[in-house]
Every structure is written in structure tokens, then in C-alpha cells.
Amino acid sequence: MEALADRLSHLDSHVHGAIRVVAFYDTLMRRRVDLPALARASAGLAECVAGVRLHGTARVVRMTPDGRPAAGAGGAAGAGGPRAADGGRAVSATAPILLDEEEIGTVWLERPGPPGALDPVLLDRFALAVAAAVERHGPAPTTMADPALVELVIGAGTDEASRARALRRLGFAPDRPVRVAAVRSALPLDRIGALVCPDPPVKAARLPDVGVLLAPAIAADRFPAPARAGIGGPGNPEVSWRQARTALRFATARRPVVRHEDLGALALLDRVPPDAVRENPDVAAIGRLAAAPEDLETLDAYCATGSLRRAAELLHRHHSSIARRIEQIGRTLGLDLTEPAGLLRAAVALTAWRLLDDPPAPANG
């Protein structure tokens, strides 16, 4: 009987301790503290080094019991189990950080001795508080993202629940619009994102053939030369990505950044089978004209402006010289370029011919 009473007294003490731990983290969550504050509070409560690691950003936060950052970046326990921590200490206990049933990171304690009786409760609440902080604060405002996570967001084969989880992990609120841009540039994507996306969050990833930017808004006039980009509309990221890939195909040296909503009916050209484009007589004539790059540049300027004088200003030539060249180009194409119908046919043929140089966006986005 005395032994039972002794066990019950210890059990009662453990329950009261667990309740205090739960109340401690409930207070921290109500105060909406960030990751460093959570790690600092956890280290003080556990009286040993406490750490957090987020898988998506590889961010590691380690704090000592006296509230200072722990030396080094050791102690980042991953899915494979505890690893040696800074100073030779071992990670004594870990717990996964779960958000929407997906593991997004790990929390741990670096206790020099065996785990404490309340360590499982402490780590469970620590992980829960970190998940809430990540959901609330989100990742860094502008950063390169995991390409696999970005592909989940923009892919046509992604179910909406998975897309929503991926967006949340990237820091996008479910009620905010997202635009997607397809970018070709030698410049770092994170640098371009910082230039063209005025509002966070901004996420960038490089896929095998093109760069991707995701943001609430993307300023077409801020892209640095010589980048080329297509910008999709706001809304469903899958649709926006498909629009961005289409718009990128229309980008040229003269018009390096294209918004899909500015294409209007021209976007229909993207759906014409390439063989049908090649067989069109006007497009075939443009192909023959391409052997003379100066003629092609002159036609491009004239189609863009609809005016001999304005084309001459763009090309820094006398307008009479441009007039003679346009007349000669018209004879080559078999079109009267001084007439609206002839100019329209030339402009459409020139655009369609350029699309042959760039493979169409996949039908699934």
C-alpha cells in the first residue's frame, strides 16, 4: 500500500509538471513570439541548450539556458536521429515539427545527462509552438526556395490540398493572390526577385529550363536588362504559371518583358500547332527574310510602331531610307506594308515565326 502511494505521489508530481509546461508554451504562443524567443525560452525551461531546424530553409537556431545563442551551428538533429552537438555534447532528445501533417523541421535538447522526465512533453509543446510561429511569420521575405516545393505549387498534377500546403510552407497566405513569372536571365533569381517584387513574400527557384518567381505582385518595368520574362495573372498558381510560360515565348529584345493579360488575342497563336505555322505562306516568307537580319529588324520596328518616322527614330535612320527598305521588304513578302491589312499580316506572321524558335509551354503547365 505504501509503495502504491509512493508511485501515485510521483505520478501526481509529473502531471502537475506537465500541466505547467503546457501552460508555459500556451503563454508563449499567445504572445506570438518568434523562433529565437521560443528557443531561448525552451533552453531556460529545460536548463540546457535547445535548438530548432527548419528543413525548407535550413535555418538553425540554438540557444543556451542563459539566453544567448549557442556557439556554432551543431546540434541540428535531422530525420535520421540525434547528431553530435557543439562542444562534443550529444542531442539528448528530438521531436518533429509538423504543419498540416507534414514534417517541416526538428526541435531538440542538448542535455549532458539522460533525458528528463518532462522532456517529451516539453519537446512536444516546443514543436507545436514552432509550427504556429512558422505558419504565422512565414519564411524569409525573399529567398531561393526548394524547386520541388515550387513545382508542387505550379504543377497541374498537384491536388489543391497539397498546393495549399506548399504555398503555406513558402509563406503565402491562402487568401492572397499569387502571380508567377517565368524568367530567363544570367542574373541570380533572388536578386531579380528583390528588384521586381515590391511586396513579400517573394520566392524564387530555378527549374531545368527556366527560372520561376512567385509573389503577390510583379512589376514588369523593373526587370534588369538583359533579362526576359513572362508574367502570369493573379489567382491560381497553376494557371498563372501556364500564362507566364506563354508570355515568355512572346518576349523579344525590343519587348523583353511581357504580361499575359497584355497579349489579348495574340495569346491564341501559342495554341497553333508548329507544323501549321511553318506551312503558312506569310510565315514562310518571314523565314526567308530572316536571312537578312537588318531587314528583319526594320520590319520589327515598323510593325511595332506602325509609322515610318517612328521606326526611323527607333533605328536611328532617316525616314526616307526606312521607307525604301520597307517597300523592298514588302515586295519580298508579297505584301503592301503601307496598307493596314498588309501591316497586320506581317506583324502576325513575324510573331508566329518567332514562336517557332521557342518550344510551347506544356499543356499541363
Side-chain angles (χ1 to χ4, degrees):
M1 194 69 175
E2 289 179 2
L4 177 59
D6 183 62
R7 287 198 299 271
L8 288 175
S9 66
H10 284 298
L11 178 62
D12 186 61
S13 174
H14 179 81
V15 169
H16 280 293
I19 291 173
R20 287 195 295 270
V21 171
V22 171
F24 178 81
Y25 281 100
D26 283 349
T27 300
L28 293 177
M29 293 168 70
R30 283 197 302 271
R31 292 178 179 174
R32 298 175 177 268
V33 300
D34 58 11
L35 296 190
L38 281 171
R40 187 180 300 113
S42 299
L45 181 64
E47 298 182 334
C48 68
V49 172
V52 181
R53 184 185 191 278
L54 299 181
H55 299 330
T57 61
R59 182 184 181 188
V60 175
V61 180
R62 292 174 66 238
M63 291 293 179
T64 62
D66 58 3
R68 293 179 300 176
R83 298 204 302 238
D86 177 60
R89 290 184 177 179
V91 173
S92 57
T94 69
I97 305 167
L98 301 178
L99 184 60
D100 292 329
E101 300 180 356
E102 290 188 19
E103 184 176 332
I104 64 169
T106 308
V107 296
W108 69 91
L109 297 177
E110 299 174 21
R111 195 177 295 285
L118 293 175
D119 283 2
V121 178
L122 187 153
L123 286 170
D124 179 71
R125 302 304 294 184
F126 185 13
L128 185 65
V130 170
V134 169
E135 185 174 21
R136 182 167 58 251
H137 296 293
T142 304
T143 184
M144 295 299 291
D146 181 356
L149 202 57
V150 171
E151 286 189 288
L152 268 179
V153 169
I154 63 178
T158 306
D159 63 85
E160 290 309 310
S162 298
R163 196 188 316 279
R165 285 196 297 270
L167 280 168
R168 182 175 294 179
R169 289 181 62 183
L170 289 172
F172 293 93
D175 58 342
R176 294 196 69 184
V178 177
R179 280 186 185 264
V180 185
V183 183
R184 289 203 176 110
S185 174
L187 297 174
L189 276 175
D190 54 348
R191 176 182 164 191
I192 295 176
L195 290 172
V196 306
C197 304
D199 301 317
V202 181
K203 292 298 173 183
R206 188 168 292 282
L207 302 187
D209 63 333
V210 69
V212 185
L213 288 176
L214 292 90
I218 301 174
D221 59 347
R222 295 185 184 179
F223 278 86
R228 294 194 184 187
I231 303 174
N236 186 302
E238 173 201 342
V239 176
S240 187
W241 170 239
R242 189 164 60 246
Q243 292 174 344
R245 290 294 299 267
T246 296
L248 178 61
R249 298 186 67 211
F250 287 83
T252 66
R254 192 176 303 285
R255 190 186 183 192
V257 181
V258 178
R259 300 192 315 163
H260 186 269
E261 53 255 56
D262 294 337
L263 288 175
L266 286 176
L268 296 174
L269 290 175
D270 182 62
R271 302 186 183 185
V272 180
D275 288 344
V277 174
R278 291 188 183 92
E279 293 169 2
N280 182 270
D282 288 352
V283 176
I286 293 290
R288 293 191 295 272
L289 184 70
E294 190 174 356
D295 286 347
L296 201 64
E297 183 184 22
T298 301
L299 178 63
D300 179 41
Y302 182 57
C303 288
T305 61
S307 163
L308 292 172
R309 289 189 178 275
R310 289 171 61 193
E313 290 172 2
L314 279 178
L315 298 172
H316 306 289
R317 301 286 183 85
H318 195 276
H319 74 275
S320 60
S321 173
I322 295 299
R324 288 193 297 272
R325 188 173 293 275
I326 287 296
E327 183 179 359
Q328 178 183 345
I329 292 171
R331 286 196 296 269
T332 301
L333 299 179
L335 298 172
D336 184 354
L337 297 178
T338 63
E339 292 293 327
L343 180 59
L344 176 61
R345 282 176 58 181
V348 172
L350 180 59
T351 301
W353 175 79
R354 281 185 173 133
L355 293 182
L356 293 174
D357 293 335
D358 193 26
N364 63 0

